[in-house]
Every structure is written in structure tokens, then in C-alpha cells.
């Protein structure tokens, strides 16, 4: 920022042309102005392009509108009321300033600013509203520089989009949307004058709390237009008599659990596109902290410019998921989460973070890491075993007791069996065959099949046999397990699924897209056998309550020790879906296990869809 001394030299110089050039050169160097930076709202839209959530940055609720879309009445009212010499001055009005100085000197305070539209733009966008002489002098300098850099039309456009209309509302377009629920070009002259009354003193003229004050100033503004012959007596009479009815528009913010995840994914999408992900992977602890802060600021910078985040959200399916939980999980002490993925498009269509979920709360769908129980068996035990041994659903495996280094797991029903087919072992969820499979293949080999999925909480300590039946240090999120199961619908090839399809600017130009390659995890023949096994679970195994009429249904149940978690993860021809229920602070839900609400929820989520 320039010092007041330079401004003073600018005004007292006798060699006007020479000094103006000198100051101009300093301005270009010290205050490079390329644009009028105005924070804009960003928007999250669903699969149909329907608005789901508006993102307001820095509490500046603004929707930018170009000058040619702003009615002439709006421009005229502000010029007449705020700056009648707008098209003549160079950024400030000496006569107006002189009057303000006299009033301020008389009252020994800074009460009158004599500010032009350009000066108001300077302090609204580039400076502060601090009432000091230093700030006022800086304002003059910025105003002069703004006039040198931008046209009058650009300055007026910036001002009308920057001005404050109280209640967190900035700019004429958002003022129109907020107070009357329609765009500025749809307002009547009376409504235009009404909202134009607010910025002169936003607190005093707050239409919600001080409607009569706003109305009085509206009439004054209309009278000014009449006196200056901008409108006719007939127009004045009509606008003055028109009854003003506020129709407040509150920001759209639906589906908070899905939207919370979109915000998280937005950060990762920008990180991957702009190299932060790779840089962070190669950084030490201190460097990671710096990069994390840089990324946070970068996301803020992108969002405040105004973008459209196009998502795969299916609002009807999202509502269906919520209804399924409501219908089958009435115990308020028990929570739940679910994820539904279109495994053809590799898109997250619905995401349920828990009952009574509030935006940015702990989201169980992707932030809760829970023990998976037998839901891990398809990925860690059966896939590696079938893939390595070229086994089939009819291959035999021992279900007899197993012990190794004091680890002696029991079958779920604590019964002993002999040799059984893989199908029987799988659909009945026997434990000893699953542990044997991982032991025979080898723990390292078994875990190599998990690596492509990028499970975030798997640690070196998990490379032990108990993990074969769900014994992990931290566990998995519903999103992670559901994504992994989607590979069963894609011939053993894993595609990462996302909520965000793309990000565009407000004009529809593409800014960010995912750039990821699919990975084959297991053989096509292995996948065919696994689909048979998954189908057997719902047809005649532990998951029959999830079954319903559909071309294909398959899945796997999961129950952890002491009934702390109940899982069902499965797929149909089009979608993969996962359901988890449990208590946030653990605790048994054994009383729910027989009624199998997790399976009933999964069934209701999928049965009424085109799965």
C-alpha cells in the first residue's frame, strides 16, 4: 500500500504532468490491478443439474451479474444518489471532498466521506472501512488508479456487484434474489428503488427489521429520479403506490451428508489436478503441514471465484436411503451409514452419514472406520485363493478346527465341520476355511489384492491371520468397502468412484476432472466364481433378508465380535451398495442381529430402483 506522503506530493506538485506520470508509474509498480476481485458464490448441482447447495466464501453471499444484464434504472438510481459526477471525475470529487472536510473539521470527527462510487469500490474491495485519515488517503490513491485501469462501465459493474445490502448479501443480483426471490432484471421500478435504498446505511435500512425506514428512503430515491427527469410523474406515482412484499430466499442447502463429502472430494480433486497429492507423498512432516495449508488456501481461491461442482447425486435415491434407515432403525442409540455407487459410471449416487445428520458433522459413510467382520472375506481370502489356486465354487476346503501359533478361531456358530465346498463355506460364513485360505496363499500375497483399493487405515500390524475374519487395527469405512466390492461388477477391474463428475466455471468451461486409470485386481475367471458366491449368500446363505427380485443380486454379511457392527455390502446389475449399523462408541447391538436391519435397509434401498 502507498504511503500518505506520496499522495500528498501528488496533490501539491506544481509540475502537474510530470508528477502525474511519476505517481502513475509508482502505482503500476506498487498496486498492479488486473481485475476487480469479487468473491462469488459457488454451486453444487446434482446429476440433473439441479441446485443442491450454494457455497458462500468469507460470508460474502454474492452472485455476479454483468453490467449489460443490470437494468438502467439500477445504474441511474445509484449514480443519482451516490455520485452524480461519476462519468466526469477521475476517481474522486474535490468539491465533495471539500464539503466533507469542512463538516469533519467542524465536528472534529470523520463523519462525511464525500465518497464517489469509485472510492466506495476501492474500500469495499481493496481496502477497509476504517475511519482514519491514512485509510482515506490510500482510498484516494486506489480510486485514481482504478480509474486509470478500468473503464467507467467496468467500475460501475464492480461497484454494483460489490455493494453491501445487509443480511450477508452483496451485489444487486443477490439482493434481488434474497429480498424478492427473483433476478434483478425481473424487478419492478418500485422494487429496484426499494433494495437500492439499503446500501446507504445497511443497518438503518435493513428491510427485515426496519421496513418503514427502507420505504421512506425508497420514496426519496424515486423523488430524485422524478426531479432529475429520469422518470415521468406517472411512473413515479405508480412506483410509489406499489405495495412492497418481501419474499425472502434462503440459501439452498440440501442433502448435507452427500454435500459434506463433496467438499472433502473437492479438496482431493484439486490436489490431484494441481500436483499437491504427489508433492505431499514425497514430503516430510513439516513440508506436509505447509502443503496442507497451501492446498486449503488454493481450494478457497478456486471456490471464491465462482464454480459449479457437477455431482452424480441422485436425489430420489438419496431420499430412499434415508427412508430405509428411518423405517428399519428406530433405536436412536444405534447409528448407520450407507453408500450407493453406479458401478458402470463409477459414480457415487447416494451417501448417508447417519440419522439426524448435520452438514460437516462426523460422516460415518466415509469417516467411520469400523471392523468389517466377514465382509472382508471376499476380498482378502476368497479372491486370492481362487485366483492363485484356480479354484471354483465347487472346490473343497476344510472347515475343521484351525490353530496356528496359539491362534485358534472358531466358526460363528461354534460348530465343527469337515470338508465343504467354497460355496457352502462362503454363504454360511464359516471362519476356519477363510483363515485357511489366507494361510495357504500367504498373508503378503493376500494383502497384495487389497493394495489397489487404497484402504487408508490398513497398517503393517494388520498383516496377521485374524484379519482373515475381520480382525483389523482400525478397519474400513463403508465407502471404502463399497468401492472395493464394485470391482465384482467390473470383471475384477477396479475403478475409483467419485461424487464429483467435473468442476466448471460459471460459464460452463471445464476446470477440473478426475484423471485416473482403472486397475485389474484379479482374473476374469476369478470374478465369475466370486459373483456366484456372492449370489449364493442372498439366495440361501446369511444374506437372504437382503434378497428381492432382480436380474442379479449378490453380497456379503459381516458381524464383528460382541455384535458391535453389522454389515451388508453387495451389488446388482447396475449398483454396488453398502450398509453399516452400530454404535458410535461401540457397544453390542445383538438384540438387532436377528431382525437384520442392515439387510432390510439394503433391500429397501435397491428394490425400488432400476437396479
Amino acid at each position: 500500500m502507498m504511503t500518505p506522503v506520496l499522495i500528498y506530493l501528488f496533490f501539491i506538485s506544481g509540475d502537474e504532468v510530470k508528477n502525474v506520470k511519476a505517481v502513475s508509474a509508482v502505482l503500476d509498480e506498487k498496486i498492479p490491478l488486473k481485475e476487480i476481485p469479487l468473491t462469488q458464490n459457488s454451486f453444487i448441482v446434482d446429476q440433473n443439474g439441479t441446485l443442491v447447495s450454494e457455497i458462500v466464501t468469507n460470508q460474502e453471499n454474492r452472485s455476479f451479474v454483468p453490467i449489460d444484464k443490470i437494468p438502467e434504472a439500477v445504474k441511474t438510481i445509484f449514480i443519482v444518489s451516490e455520485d452524480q459526477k461519476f462519468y466526469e471525475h477521475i476517481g474522486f470529487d474535490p468539491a465533495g471532498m471539500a464539503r466533507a472536510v469542512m463538516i469533519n473539521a467542524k465536528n472534529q470527527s470523520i463523519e462525511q466521506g464525500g465518497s464517489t462510487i469509485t472510492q466506495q469500490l476501492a474500500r469495499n474491495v481493496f481496502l477497509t472501512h476504517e475511519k482514519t485519515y491514512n485509510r482515506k488517503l490510500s482510498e484516494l490513491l486506489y480510486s485514481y488508479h482504478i480509474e486509470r485501469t478500468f473503464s467507467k462501465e467496468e467500475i460501475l459493474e464492480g461497484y454494483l456487484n460489490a455493494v453491501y445490502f445487509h443480511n450477508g448479501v452483496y451485489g444487486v443480483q443477490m439482493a434481488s434474489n434474497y429480498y424478492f426471490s427473483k433476478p434483478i432484471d425481473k424487478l419492478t421500478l418500485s422494487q429496484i428503488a426499494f433494495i437500492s435504498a439499503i446500501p446507504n446505511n445497511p443497518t438503518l435500512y435493513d428491510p427485515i427489521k426496519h421496513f418503514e425506514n427502507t420505504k421512506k428512503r425508497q420514496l426519496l430515491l424515486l423523488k430524485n429520479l422524478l426531479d432529475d427527469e429520469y422518470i415521468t410523474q406517472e411512473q413515479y406515482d405508480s412506483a410509489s403506490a406499489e405495495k412492497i412484499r418481501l419474499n425472502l430466499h434462503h440459501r439452498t442447502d440440501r442433502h448435507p451428508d452427500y454435500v459434506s463429502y463433496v467438499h472433502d472430494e473437492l479438496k482431493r480433486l484439486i490436489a490431484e489436478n494441481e500436483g499437491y497429492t504427489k508433492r505431499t507423498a514425497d514430503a516430510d512432516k513439516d513440508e506436509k503441514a505447509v502443503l496442507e495449508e497451501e492446498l486449503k488456501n488454493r481450494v478457497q481461491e478456486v471456490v471464491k471465484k465462482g464454480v459449479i461442482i457437477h455431482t452424480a447425486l441422485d436425489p430420489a435415491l438419496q431420499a430412499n436411503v434415508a427412508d430405509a434407515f428411518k423405517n428399519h432403525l428406530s433405536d436412536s442409540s444405534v447409528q448407520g451409514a450407507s453408500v450407493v455407487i453406479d458401478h458402470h459410471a463409477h459414480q457415487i449416487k447416494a451417501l448417508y452419514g447417519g440419522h439426524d445428520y448435520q452438514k460437516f458433522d462426523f460422516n460415518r459413510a466415509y469417516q467411520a472406520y469400523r471392523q468389517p467382520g466377514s465382509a472382508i472375506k471376499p476380498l482378502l481370502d476368497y479372491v486370492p485363493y481362487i485366483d492363485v489356486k484356480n479354484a471354483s465354487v465347487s472346490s473343497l476346503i476344510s472347515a475343521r478346527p484351525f490353530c496356528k501359533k496359539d491362534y485358534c478361531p472358531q466358526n460363528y456358530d461354534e460348530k465343527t465341520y469337515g470338508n465343504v465346498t467354497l460355496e457352502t463355506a462362503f454363504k454360511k460364513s464359516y471362519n476356519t476355511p477363510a483363515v485357511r485360505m489366507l494361510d495357504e496363499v500367504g498373508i503378503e500375497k493376500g494383502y497384495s489384492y487389497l493394495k489397489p483399493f487404497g484402504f487408508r487405515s490398513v497398517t503393517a500390524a494388520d498383516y496377521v491371520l485374524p484379519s482373515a475374519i475381520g480382525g483389523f487395527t482400525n478397519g474400513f469405512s463403508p465407502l471404502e468397502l463399497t468401492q472395493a466390492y464394485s470391482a465384482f461388477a467390473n470383471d475384477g477391474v477396479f475403478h475409483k468412484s467419485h461424487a464429483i463428475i467435473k468442476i466448471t466455471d460459471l460459464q460452463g468451461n471445464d476446470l477440473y476432472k478426475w484423471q485416473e486409470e482403472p486397475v485389474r485386481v484379479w482374473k476374469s475367471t476369478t470374478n465369475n466364481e466370486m459373483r456366484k458366491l456372492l449370489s449364493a449368500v442372498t439366495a440361501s446363505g446369511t444374506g437372504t433378508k437382503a434378497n428381492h427380485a432382480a436380474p442379479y443380486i449378490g453380497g456379503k454379511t459381516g458381524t464383528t465380535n460382541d455384535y458391535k457392527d453389522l454389515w451388508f455390502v453387495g451389488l446388482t446389475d447396475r449398483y454396488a451398495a453398502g450398509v453399516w449399523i452400530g454404535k458410535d462408541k461401540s457397544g453390542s447391538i445383538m438384540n438387532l442381529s436377528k431382525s437384520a436391519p442392515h439387510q432390510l435397509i439394503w433391500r429397501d434401498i435397491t428394490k425400488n430402483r432400476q437396479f
Side-chain angles (χ1 to χ4, degrees):
M1 185 180 297
M2 300 299 297
T3 64
V5 174
L6 280 174
I7 303 171
Y8 178 69
L9 289 174
F10 171 75
F11 285 115
I12 66 171
S13 171
D15 190 351
E16 183 176 349
V17 174
K18 179 180 178 181
N19 282 280
V20 167
K21 289 182 179 179
V23 172
S24 298
V26 174
L27 289 173
D28 290 335
E29 178 184 349
K30 299 295 183 181
I31 313 177
L33 296 180
K34 296 182 180 179
E35 61 180 6
I36 299 173
L38 293 175
T39 297
Q40 295 191 69
N41 288 3
S42 287
F43 307 94
I44 298 174
V45 299
D46 67 18
Q47 63 178 9
N48 304 311
T50 302
L51 179 63
V52 172
S53 180
E54 297 174 66
I55 304 174
V56 176
T57 308
N58 299 331
Q59 298 182 329
E60 292 187 35
N61 189 14
R62 177 185 290 112
S63 179
F64 187 88
V65 58
I67 192 69
D68 60 353
K69 301 296 183 183
I70 300 175
E72 287 301 319
V74 178
K75 306 172 193 176
T76 302
I77 286 175
F78 277 95
I79 290 173
V80 169
S81 62
E82 298 291 330
D83 187 0
Q84 294 186 20
K85 295 184 178 180
F86 172 69
Y87 287 105
E88 302 169 18
H89 62 63
I90 59 169
F92 46 85
D93 179 7
M97 290 169 56
R99 288 193 300 272
V101 169
M102 293 179 62
I103 294 172
N104 292 337
K106 180 179 180 181
N107 296 323
Q108 295 185 338
S109 65
I110 302 179
E111 296 179 358
Q112 297 291 320
S115 297
T116 64
I117 281 176
T118 312
Q119 287 172 263
Q120 293 180 54
L121 177 63
R123 64 170 172 263
N124 284 337
V125 177
F126 299 102
L127 301 168
T128 69
H129 289 263
E130 180 186 16
K131 290 188 176 182
T132 65
Y133 283 106
N134 279 358
R135 200 278 299 156
K136 193 67 178 177
L137 290 173
S138 297
E139 178 185 300
L140 294 177
L141 190 62
Y142 268 86
S143 300
Y144 170 70
H145 194 30
I146 288 170
E147 291 277 348
R148 291 178 58 247
T149 308
F150 303 104
S151 69
K152 289 289 187 180
E153 290 291 287
E154 289 172 326
I155 294 169
L156 185 58
E157 177 184 75
Y159 170 77
L160 293 175
N161 280 284
V163 67
Y164 184 51
F165 287 84
H166 208 59
N167 296 301
V169 175
Y170 291 81
V172 294
Q173 182 75 297
M174 189 54 70
S176 178
N177 289 337
Y178 180 74
Y179 292 111
F180 293 112
S181 294
K182 52 186 176 181
I184 189 69
D185 60 358
K186 300 299 182 183
L187 296 190
T188 65
L189 174 60
S190 181
Q191 291 170 329
I192 287 173
F194 187 82
I195 62 169
S196 299
I198 303 170
N200 184 262
N201 188 328
T203 302
L204 179 63
Y205 299 121
D206 175 5
I208 298 174
K209 293 183 178 179
H210 306 294
F211 184 92
E212 291 305 318
N213 290 348
T214 319
K215 181 64 178 176
K216 288 178 182 178
R217 180 159 174 80
Q218 175 223 32
L219 296 175
L220 175 63
L221 295 178
L222 290 171
K223 185 65 165 58
N224 289 343
L225 294 183
L226 175 64
D227 291 344
D228 289 344
E229 299 182 350
Y230 288 105
I231 60 175
T232 65
Q233 183 68 48
E234 182 180 358
Q235 288 175 308
Y236 171 80
D237 292 341
S238 176
S240 300
E242 182 180 322
K243 188 172 181 60
I244 296 293
R245 293 183 176 86
L246 295 179
N247 183 16
L248 298 181
H249 169 75
H250 298 287
R251 289 202 301 269
T252 301
D253 204 6
R254 298 190 294 272
H255 310 302
D257 24 19
Y258 193 95
V259 166
S260 293
Y261 179 71
V262 169
H263 279 266
D264 183 84
E265 198 174 86
L266 168 66
K267 180 179 176 182
R268 287 187 283 115
L269 176 55
I270 293 175
E272 289 196 16
N273 273 253
E274 299 193 359
Y276 286 96
T277 303
K278 186 177 186 306
R279 291 165 62 195
T280 300
D282 300 332
D284 60 29
K285 183 178 179 180
D286 291 338
E287 290 171 335
K288 284 181 179 179
V290 172
L291 288 171
E292 180 66 22
E293 187 65 23
E294 280 185 21
L295 176 58
K296 178 183 175 182
N297 293 335
R298 177 58 183 151
V299 172
Q300 183 102 331
E301 181 182 336
V302 169
V303 171
K304 75 179 185 179
K305 285 183 178 293
V307 296
I308 301 174
I309 303 170
H310 302 261
T311 76
L313 171 66
D314 181 336
L317 179 55
Q318 181 75 18
N320 189 32
V321 173
D323 286 343
F325 274 90
K326 183 179 179 181
N327 293 336
H328 296 292
L329 196 60
S330 58
D331 187 344
S332 61
S333 69
V334 180
Q335 273 290 359
S338 182
V339 175
V340 183
I341 292 172
D342 181 332
H343 51 59
H344 294 309
H346 319 301
Q347 296 172 349
I348 300 170
K349 290 295 184 178
L351 187 146
Y352 180 81
H355 64 70
D356 297 326
Y357 185 84
Q358 302 296 313
K359 190 174 179 182
F360 299 131
D361 278 356
F362 178 70
N363 194 313
R364 297 160 190 84
Y366 71 97
Q367 292 177 316
Y369 286 81
R370 306 289 296 217
Q371 299 300 323
S374 295
I376 197 61
K377 290 177 182 177
L379 301 169
L380 183 58
D381 308 329
Y382 283 81
V383 157
Y385 186 82
I386 294 172
D387 213 49
V388 172
K389 302 285 187 177
N390 292 316
S392 70
V393 297
S394 58
S395 298
L396 295 178
I397 186 78
S398 173
R400 294 180 179 85
F402 175 94
C403 276
K404 189 170 188 178
K405 296 182 181 179
D406 298 325
Y407 176 57
C408 304
Q410 298 287 317
N411 287 322
Y412 182 75
D413 57 9
E414 297 184 355
K415 293 182 180 180
T416 299
Y417 303 93
N419 288 337
V420 297
T421 63
L422 293 192
E423 179 179 328
T424 297
F426 190 82
K427 72 181 183 179
K428 298 296 185 182
S429 202
Y430 296 156
N431 286 335
T432 55
V435 176
R436 276 193 172 87
M437 290 179 198
L438 182 59
D439 187 48
E440 286 189 32
V441 169
I443 293 175
E444 288 286 341
K445 182 65 175 178
Y447 269 86
S448 70
Y449 285 83
L450 297 188
K451 286 183 179 179
F453 302 116
F455 293 126
R456 296 178 65 182
S457 290
V458 171
T459 68
D462 293 322
Y463 281 55
V464 291
L465 282 178
S467 64
I469 54 176
F472 288 82
T473 306
N474 301 303
F476 305 86
S477 72
L479 174 59
E480 285 185 330
L481 271 187
T482 307
Q483 283 204 102
Y485 270 61
S486 71
F488 293 121
N490 286 287
D491 199 39
V493 176
F494 176 60
H495 302 252
K496 286 186 179 179
S497 299
H498 299 288
I500 297 175
I501 298 172
K502 64 179 179 179
I503 299 175
T504 68
D505 61 22
L506 298 178
Q507 289 71 47
N509 301 305
D510 288 352
L511 298 177
Y512 299 97
K513 286 184 178 180
W514 296 102
Q515 305 291 333
E516 295 171 336
E517 295 295 327
V519 179
R520 174 165 288 284
V521 188
W522 51 77
K523 293 181 294 190
S524 179
T525 53
T526 298
N527 201 68
N528 291 337
E529 298 304 309
M530 286 305 307
R531 285 177 64 86
K532 295 174 188 176
L533 293 178
L534 292 166
S535 181
V537 170
T538 57
S540 58
T542 59
T544 55
K545 289 185 178 179
N547 202 7
H548 59 84
Y552 176 85
I553 288 181
K556 187 69 186 74
T557 54
T559 305
T560 60
N561 291 342
D562 301 320
Y563 296 90
K564 292 180 179 179
D565 306 89
L566 296 176
W567 291 84
F568 190 84
V569 188
L571 58 144
T572 65
D573 278 354
R574 183 178 176 188
Y575 290 91
V579 172
W580 164 86
I581 65 171
K583 294 185 177 181
D584 283 339
K585 296 182 179 180
S586 295
S588 176
I589 54 173
M590 183 177 181
N591 61 315
L592 296 177
S593 62
K594 287 187 178 180
S595 61
H598 52 309
Q599 295 187 45
L600 299 177
I601 290 168
W602 192 93
R603 180 200 67 189
D604 284 5
I605 289 172
T606 61
K607 72 178 182 180
N608 294 324
R609 305 297 298 174
Q610 294 181 357
F611 275 64

